[in-house]
Amino acid sequence: MSGHSTYEPKYAAEKWIDKRLPIVRMGVDFMAFPSPRNLNYWYAFGGILTLCLMSQIITGIILAMHYTPTVGEAFNSVQRIKRDVPFGWLLQSMHAVGASMFFLAVYIHMFRGLFYGSYKAPRELLWIIGCAIYLAMMATGFLGYTLPWGQMSFWGATVITGFFGAIPVVGESLQQWLLGGYSVGNPTLQRFFSLHYLLPFVIAALVGLHVWAVHHVGQNNPIGIDIKTKEDTLSFHPYYTMKDGFAIAVFLMIFALFVFYLPEALGHADNYQRANPMVTPPHIVPEWYFLPFYAILRAVPDKLMGIMLMFGAIVVLFILPWLDTAKVRSMRFRPTTRRFFYIFLFMCFVLGWCGAHSPDDIAIPMGHGGMTFKWVSRVATLYYFAFFLFLLPVLGWVEKTKALPDSITKAIHDGEA
Amino acid sequence: MSDTQTGEGEHEDPSRRDFIYIATGAAAAVGAGAFAWPLVSQMGAAADTRAAGSIEIDVSKVEEGQQLKVLWRGKPIFVRYRTQKEIDYADSVDVASLRDPQTDDERFVPNFEGKINKSLLVMIGVCTHFGCIPVGEAGDFEGWYCPCHGSHYDSSGRIRKGPAPKNMVIPPYKYLSDTVIKIG
């Protein structure tokens, strides 16, 4: 990709191929990519996420061989996969738990990027492609959750497609067009299955662009300063393949813990009831990874405003490179911003907590009454947007940052990296 | 070679080439549009889905205080035989104070005699927020309560509290006889 190639074909066959299609050269250069020598374990999540995507695609392709996307058979076919198909229980569990693990990893990856300023020039497009991947993941996750056709599948699909019905004038027609009918039904399920199969390959293509971009501009690092000399770098292989490999092994242990011991922990019991358009479950909640956005949606009493805020929460991520005005990338050297970042992280958890509860229930008891989840989520929503739209632009101008090290290598010798 | 080409170029009418460009572009645009149209259109409701769009309901079995739930276009229709208390409550509301102002009478379709039957409320039992099904005889206003995001509807199905923007929708229906209603 960038930089000059170190590959020298030795054998005649290698030379022959290299002249015609330098694919081996591409692979060798990829593995020898000069990476900053101070990358910590937070940087292992790129590799972990690649593994997650591969695992989801492989298990998904197999599940599709046994799954029937019709309202009459969808629920049964998933139960059949779990009970009758050889190792179906394992593949289904890997796929369902895998979705959660994928989101867990992507959230850590994103917070890491946020903390170390990995979205700043020249990595704006890298970050934006990442946001697009996240958006595609959310769409895929939502579509996939509909497929088992349980109560949560059905009502989740009803609520989410209802968002489009809130758009003025064209909303209702648009919603019917998306559903292929007056309500969520067989046409909806079939198109959701088709798109759920398609989107992971779109994600894979976007990941290709994402990796291309990171190889073009180079990786950021925990102290956020540019690579100056060759001394500041290590070859990707074997140094970071080993480090990523270890992180992957630890991640897979957590993955396995859920797959084998807690396969239902991240799901919802209501989804073991077949979809019933006549009865809404008393308490609809999305999967855990959507809870913060669900809390933002419910924080405002107005339907259209709620949806706009929820989508706005993702839009701010796309424009983040231009919201943060600071010259210094890493929050290690931005002591004030760092504190606000930790509050931001905390508020994201608060939003998740609010999303899991009914808006009118008491979250923080005080005297006879207390603060309801609606009000807690309002405070957290306000902070979420204030962090991006007010704190990051303003702190960039007023904050006095700590002195940056001269180079990555010097920082390591001085014990700063 | 180059000389001949230049020579030919001098004799060529440049507007002819422009015409070919524009014509090709226009043909391509029309072709793309003609191809895109079916791709977009196939997503909409199919003929069989639309054909199943109307039903007849026999309401003779509904007793006072009971509610019939019938599936229409994949959504439940509530047919509620309202109690006198519920009717009085619906009439007593100050219409101007409502989010989606509608009198109780406006939520009924006259029968073939031109009269409205205020005991029999027919509406689409779908919350106008995000399409959940409200629970009957619940909420703060003698009517329905939506468990999803906490919208309260009164005994006329009008939105009174919570995030939903509109009253529950009255479907297009008519009385075929005193006891049979056709919806859709």
Side-chain angles (χ1 to χ4, degrees):
Chain A
M1 308 214 171
S2 72
H4 40 255
S5 182
T6 52
Y7 172 65
E8 277 181 34
K10 286 189 196 74
Y11 306 103
E14 276 184 274
K15 285 178 185 154
W16 188 89
I17 292 172
D18 196 53
K19 264 195 175 161
R20 285 154 183 85
L21 179 72
I23 190 166
V24 182
R25 176 182 298 277
M26 198 171 93
V28 169
D29 289 347
F30 186 91
M31 295 310 281
F33 184 69
S35 311
R37 58 190 279 184
N38 61 336
L39 298 185
N40 56 27
Y41 274 113
W42 298 112
Y43 282 80
F45 284 86
I48 288 172
L49 284 162
T50 312
L51 182 82
C52 286
L53 179 62
M54 281 160 50
S55 165
Q56 288 304 89
I57 289 179
I58 293 167
T59 53
I61 287 172
I62 295 167
L63 289 173
M65 295 175 184
H66 303 278
Y67 172 75
T68 315
T70 62
V71 294
E73 279 304 307
F75 184 85
N76 291 344
S77 70
V78 173
Q79 296 311 313
R80 185 180 160 270
I81 288 169
K82 288 186 175 189
R83 292 153 196 255
D84 298 339
V85 174
F87 287 100
W89 61 271
L90 177 67
L91 294 160
Q92 194 279 336
S93 182
M94 276 177 75
H95 197 71
V97 171
S100 278
M101 290 296 135
F102 204 165
F103 274 98
L104 175 69
V106 88
Y107 281 131
I108 296 173
H109 192 63
M110 288 164 79
F111 280 121
R112 189 271 288 155
L114 202 55
F115 187 86
Y116 293 125
S118 303
Y119 48 85
K120 287 171 173 291
R123 298 187 181 83
E124 300 97 322
L125 262 183
L126 173 62
W127 172 264
I128 289 170
I129 295 164
C131 290
I133 294 171
Y134 173 56
L135 205 58
M137 278 177 63
M138 296 213 292
T140 312
F142 158 67
L143 295 169
Y145 195 61
T146 308
L147 303 184
W149 207 243
Q151 273 289 66
M152 280 295 165
S153 301
F154 181 88
W155 290 101
T158 299
V159 170
I160 306 275
T161 53
F163 294 169
F164 296 93
I167 299 167
V169 191
V170 295
E172 202 176 323
S173 319
L174 180 67
Q175 192 185 350
Q176 287 193 5
W177 180 73
L178 288 170
L179 296 176
Y182 304 106
S183 54
V184 175
N186 202 57
T188 320
L189 179 59
Q190 294 200 329
R191 67 188 54 184
F192 277 19
F193 178 57
S194 169
L195 294 173
H196 181 71
Y197 205 115
L198 165 73
L199 280 181
F201 298 98
V202 174
I203 294 176
L206 287 169
V207 168
L209 290 179
H210 197 62
V211 173
W212 184 10
V214 80
H215 276 248
H216 183 70
V217 295
Q219 286 149 291
N220 187 30
N221 64 80
I223 59 173
I225 62 172
D226 289 331
I227 293 168
K228 296 205 171 79
T229 57
K230 203 171 173 299
E231 223 192 349
D232 289 343
T233 68
L234 291 170
S235 169
F236 177 65
H237 179 74
Y239 297 95
Y240 287 112
T241 44
M242 280 300 126
K243 191 159 183 159
D244 284 3
F246 180 73
I248 285 171
V250 173
F251 182 79
L252 284 179
M253 280 189 223
I254 299 166
F255 198 141
L257 175 76
F258 275 98
V259 167
F260 295 110
Y261 292 86
L262 300 159
E264 305 297 340
L266 302 167
H268 201 291
D270 275 327
N271 228 23
Y272 275 100
Q273 282 183 304
R274 190 195 296 264
N276 180 359
M278 295 293 255
V279 181
T280 306
H283 186 52
I284 296 189
V285 281
E287 305 92 299
W288 69 266
Y289 39 86
F290 291 145
L291 287 175
F293 298 104
Y294 196 56
I296 292 175
L297 170 78
R298 299 191 301 180
V300 272
D302 185 81
K303 179 172 164 179
L304 188 60
M305 263 300 281
I307 293 165
M308 280 168 48
L309 269 187
M310 189 183 69
F311 282 105
I314 296 161
V315 171
V316 289
L317 296 176
F318 278 86
I319 56 170
L320 171 64
W322 295 277
L323 292 174
D324 184 358
T325 52
K327 295 269 188 300
V328 174
R329 289 197 192 106
S330 173
M331 287 198 192
R332 281 200 187 172
F333 303 101
R334 304 177 65 190
T336 316
T337 310
R338 192 168 62 214
R339 286 198 188 98
F340 285 111
F341 171 81
Y342 289 134
I343 300 173
F344 174 75
L345 190 63
F346 175 71
M347 287 297 178
C348 289
F349 281 102
V350 168
L351 281 172
W353 178 52
C354 290
H357 290 86
S358 287
D360 291 326
D361 286 353
I362 302 294
I364 306 166
M366 285 179 287
H368 292 294
M371 199 169 172
T372 59
F373 280 102
K374 187 160 63 195
W375 279 100
V376 176
S377 50
R378 280 175 187 176
V379 172
T381 302
L382 188 69
Y383 188 87
Y384 182 97
F385 284 100
F387 179 75
F388 287 112
L389 299 174
F390 177 73
L391 290 173
L392 283 181
V394 171
L395 284 168
W397 289 318
V398 300
E399 182 176 31
K400 196 169 156 24
T401 54
K402 290 202 241 173
L404 291 175
D406 293 334
S407 75
I408 292 171
T409 307
K410 192 168 182 304
I412 288 170
H413 290 316
D414 296 348
E416 285 177 17
Chain B
M1 273 301 275
S2 62
D3 279 354
T4 11
Q5 273 183 348
T6 326
E8 272 179 4
E10 276 168 9
H11 294 293
E12 201 178 82
D13 181 1
S15 67
R16 252 186 77 186
R17 178 159 290 175
D18 288 349
F19 173 76
I20 291 169
Y21 272 138
I22 293 166
T24 312
V30 170
F35 184 53
W37 180 253
L39 294 186
V40 171
S41 182
Q42 57 79 26
M43 292 271 284
D48 59 340
T49 310
R50 278 183 283 131
S54 89
I55 53 163
E56 287 175 20
I57 305 173
D58 180 358
V59 294
S60 59
K61 297 268 171 21
V62 194
E63 302 274 334
E64 182 170 327
Q66 281 187 336
Q67 176 176 291
L68 202 64
K69 237 185 288 182
V70 189
L71 206 60
W72 175 69
R73 296 185 176 178
K75 295 171 190 167
I77 295 286
F78 289 170
V79 180
R80 180 162 178 89
Y81 196 136
R82 298 193 299 178
T83 61
Q84 193 56 45
K85 187 175 158 238
E86 289 170 344
I87 298 173
D88 293 343
Y89 180 81
D91 276 329
S92 70
V93 176
D94 175 16
V95 175
S97 70
L98 296 175
R99 185 179 302 168
D100 181 11
Q102 247 187 338
T103 64
D104 191 46
D105 288 5
E106 282 170 348
R107 297 182 53 76
F108 290 86
V109 172
N111 61 14
F112 45 90
E113 290 165 342
K115 286 194 283 194
I116 59 169
N117 177 6
K118 281 174 68 103
S119 323
L120 212 61
L121 177 65
V122 180
M123 63 182 180
I124 301 176
V126 169
C127 179
T128 56
H129 188 224
F130 288 127
C132 296
I133 298 173
V135 181
E137 293 172 32
D140 301 346
F141 303 92
E142 304 278 326
W144 287 264
Y145 172 74
C146 182
C148 292
H149 306 102
S151 292
H152 298 252
Y153 295 89
D154 68 12
S155 56
S156 185
R158 293 173 296 198
I159 181 65
R160 298 296 291 275
K161 192 175 146 192
K166 295 276 182 194
N167 301 333
M168 276 195 264
V169 176
I170 306 297
Y173 70 94
K174 63 180 179 194
Y175 281 90
L176 297 180
S177 72
D178 276 341
T179 54
V180 178
I181 297 171
K182 184 182 180 204
I183 297 179

